[in-house]
């Protein structure tokens, strides 16, 4: 309340005028607003809790499915004597062959089913294939069309596996253990000249009676990681990592290897005909005697690659780096044509098979 003097306009006298100011307080206090905020937050917190609980339930469900798969396959191996039947190398005319065939069909169906159930769970997918590798089933089951996208298959032995048409996009198939790669490269370089047989299967058979080359147990253990004869025809390997793998005599015809990491991979005598190798990293790769007929190498990195006696996309045998440019292969990191004062021949200079 305030009082001030003012002039009355009617008679000109000075009078006192009193003014009263009323202050109104909001009906909602700070605690009221906090309570409202808490009320609004409850559905959000509840949603997050339910989502977390659902994810945990899904994780538990995948783990339970994986453990159930391990148990079922173990029963096939032991109780149904699948392992014994496989080791007997039965012929189709053998009375027990139908039992073996049925057991393998069941194992295959269970494997493909659990892989689909695991979706993008790369770690658990890797555990499935590692289990099959450790039980020596990976080369016995037909894993065509298997969903192994995002699978962690690093350092998993895949010799003889049939993964044709499989989805291996974004999968990790690298040989990343330096102890294995160093030892394997050493053994490989020592034994390759000794066994004068260019057939990779003969090289991986541990001994050659014609050459009297016998391998020690240590050498055999190292060469277990040579994935000779693996079948990856028509497989989707986009963005996959296969670095440092030993894929001798592998079948990769019509495979999608776009943007794949193939650094230092050994693809000796591999079949890469009509493969999609666009923007693939093939630096340091060994492609000697490989079949690249019809393959698309656009944008590929071939620096340091060994293409000795390889068949190029145009069907011609590789002799020197200049052939790639001359045959229209628009790959990255190709060597420049050598400078020569006066060309004396129409044939390209072919001094090395390794791209620098």
């Amino acid at each position: 309340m305030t009082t001030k003097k003012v002039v009355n306009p009617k008679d000109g006298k000075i009078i006192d005028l009193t003014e009263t100011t009323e202050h109104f307080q909001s009906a909602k206090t700070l605690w009221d607003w906090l309570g409202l905020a808490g009320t609004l937050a409850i559905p959000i917190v509840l949603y997050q809790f339910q989502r977390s609980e659902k994810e945990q339930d899904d994780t538990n469900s995948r783990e339970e499915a994986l453990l159930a798969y391990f148990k079922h396959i173990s029963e096939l191996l032991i109780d149904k004597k699948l392992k014994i039947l496989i080791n007997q190398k039965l012929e189709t005319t053998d009375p027990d062959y139908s039992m073996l065939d049925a057991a393998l069909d069941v194992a295959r169906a269970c494997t493909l089913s659990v892989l689909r159930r695991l979706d993008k769970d790369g770690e658990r997918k890797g555990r499935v294939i590692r289990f099959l590798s450790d039980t020596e089933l990976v080369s016995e089951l037909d894993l065509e069309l298997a969903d192994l996208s995002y699978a962690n298959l690093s350092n998993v032995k895949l010799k003889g596996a049939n993964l044709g048409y499989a989805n291996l996009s974004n999968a990790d198939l690298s040989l990343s253990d330096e102890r294995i790669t160093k030892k394997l490269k050493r053994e490989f370089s020592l034994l390759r000249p000794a066994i004068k047989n260019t057939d990779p299967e003969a090289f991986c058979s541990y001994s050659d009676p014609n050459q009297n080359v016998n391998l020690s147990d240590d050498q055999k253990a190292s060469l277990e990681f040579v994935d000779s004869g693996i079948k990856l025809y028509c497989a989707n390997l986009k963005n996959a990592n296969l670095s440092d793998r030993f894929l001798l005599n592998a079948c990769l015809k019509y495979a999608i290897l776009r943007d794949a990491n193939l650094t230092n991979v050994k693809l000796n005598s591999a079949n890469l005909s009509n493969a999609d190798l666009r923007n693939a990293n093939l630096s340091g790769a060994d492609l000697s005697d490989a079949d690249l007929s019809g393959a698309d190498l656009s944008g590929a990195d071939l620096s340091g690659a060994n293409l000795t006696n390889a068949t190029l996309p145009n069907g011609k045998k590789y002799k020197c780096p200049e052939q790639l440019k001359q045959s229209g292969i628009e790959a990255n990191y190709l060597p420049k044509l050598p400078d020569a004062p006066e060309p004396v021949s129409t044939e390209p200079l072919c001094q090395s098979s390794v791209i620098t």
Side-chain angles (χ1 to χ4, degrees):
M1 180 183 295
T2 58
T3 303
K4 59 181 179 180
K5 295 183 181 297
V6 295
V7 178
N8 190 335
K10 294 182 177 180
D11 53 13
K13 292 180 180 181
I14 297 175
I15 60 175
D16 294 329
L17 180 64
T18 302
E19 293 181 346
T20 302
T21 303
E22 295 184 4
H23 297 277
F24 294 93
Q25 186 175 0
S26 172
K28 293 196 177 293
T29 64
L30 174 61
W31 293 109
D32 293 327
W33 287 112
L34 289 176
L36 179 62
T39 302
L40 293 174
I42 288 175
I44 298 174
V45 174
L46 184 60
Y47 169 75
Q48 292 291 349
F49 175 76
Q50 290 175 338
R51 182 180 178 184
S52 176
E53 199 173 47
K54 182 180 179 182
E55 289 176 353
Q56 185 61 42
D57 289 342
D58 191 43
T59 300
N60 293 338
S61 177
R62 290 198 301 270
E63 185 64 19
E64 289 172 2
L66 185 62
L67 294 177
Y69 168 79
F70 289 156
K71 181 180 179 181
H72 189 63
I73 299 300
S74 298
E75 289 174 352
L76 283 175
L77 287 168
I78 301 171
D79 297 343
K80 303 301 181 183
K81 301 180 180 180
L82 176 58
K83 186 68 175 177
I84 296 175
L85 292 172
I86 290 173
N87 292 338
Q88 288 178 351
K89 307 293 182 183
L90 301 175
E91 299 291 336
T92 54
T93 55
D94 194 286
D96 290 333
Y97 182 82
S98 58
M99 186 185 301
L100 170 63
D101 192 45
L104 288 175
D105 285 343
V106 171
R108 177 181 185 271
C110 290
T111 303
L112 297 183
S113 178
V114 76
L115 288 174
R116 286 192 296 268
R117 170 70 182 84
L118 294 174
D119 195 20
K120 292 186 179 181
D121 192 337
E123 287 301 319
R124 287 184 173 84
K125 283 183 176 181
R127 286 167 60 186
V128 169
I129 303 302
R130 192 179 299 274
F131 175 80
L132 294 177
S133 177
D134 292 342
T135 55
E136 299 180 351
L137 278 176
V138 73
S139 60
E140 302 295 334
L141 294 184
D142 181 359
L143 295 176
E144 277 193 354
L145 302 170
D147 183 2
L148 288 165
S149 55
Y150 298 94
N152 181 4
L153 302 175
S154 180
N155 303 315
V156 178
K157 301 172 188 176
L158 296 170
K159 183 177 180 180
N162 183 5
L163 293 165
Y165 293 95
N167 181 7
L168 287 150
S169 57
N170 299 288
D172 183 3
L173 295 97
S174 64
L175 199 57
S176 58
D177 191 325
E178 291 186 2
R179 297 169 299 176
I180 297 174
T181 53
K182 287 181 180 180
K183 193 173 184 179
L184 188 53
K185 288 176 181 178
R186 182 176 67 250
E187 303 293 355
F188 187 84
S189 60
L190 289 173
L191 294 172
R192 187 68 173 175
I195 302 175
K196 298 178 181 179
N197 192 325
T198 56
D199 181 8
E201 288 296 336
F203 173 79
C204 297
S205 63
Y206 307 140
S207 65
D208 186 340
N210 297 324
Q211 298 296 328
N212 295 318
V213 177
N214 295 309
L215 309 185
S216 66
D217 291 339
D218 198 36
Q219 289 171 325
K220 290 179 181 180
S222 297
L223 295 179
E224 284 292 332
F225 287 91
V226 176
D227 298 317
S228 60
I230 185 172
K231 300 178 182 66
L232 289 162
Y233 51 86
C234 303
N236 180 3
L237 288 149
K238 186 176 181 180
N239 291 314
N241 182 6
L242 294 93
S243 59
D244 293 298
R245 272 282 182 179
F246 282 67
L247 301 173
L248 280 67
N249 206 34
C251 180
L252 287 150
K253 59 183 181 181
Y254 290 97
I256 300 172
L257 289 153
R258 189 171 183 176
D259 301 307
N261 182 1
L262 295 159
T263 56
N264 302 314
V265 69
K266 299 286 186 183
L267 285 163
N268 310 64
S269 303
N271 185 351
L272 289 152
S273 58
N274 299 291
D276 183 357
L277 288 157
R278 286 176 290 175
N279 300 310
N281 186 351
L282 286 156
S283 59
D286 190 346
L287 292 157
S288 54
D289 297 298
D291 183 3
L292 291 161
S293 57
D296 189 347
L297 289 163
S298 303
D301 182 352
L302 290 162
S303 56
N306 181 6
L307 289 161
T308 304
N309 205 39
T311 303
L312 296 178
N314 59 5
K316 296 182 179 180
K317 285 291 183 180
Y318 178 84
K319 294 181 180 179
C320 62
E322 290 73 30
Q323 279 182 279
L324 296 174
K325 197 72 175 179
Q326 293 172 357
S327 61
I329 298 175
E330 297 179 358
N332 292 329
Y333 305 108
L334 289 180
K336 295 180 180 179
L337 292 172
D339 296 327
E342 290 294 335
V344 294
S345 174
T346 58
E347 294 292 324
L349 299 177
C350 299
Q351 299 177 350
S352 173
S353 295
V354 178
I355 302 175
T356 56

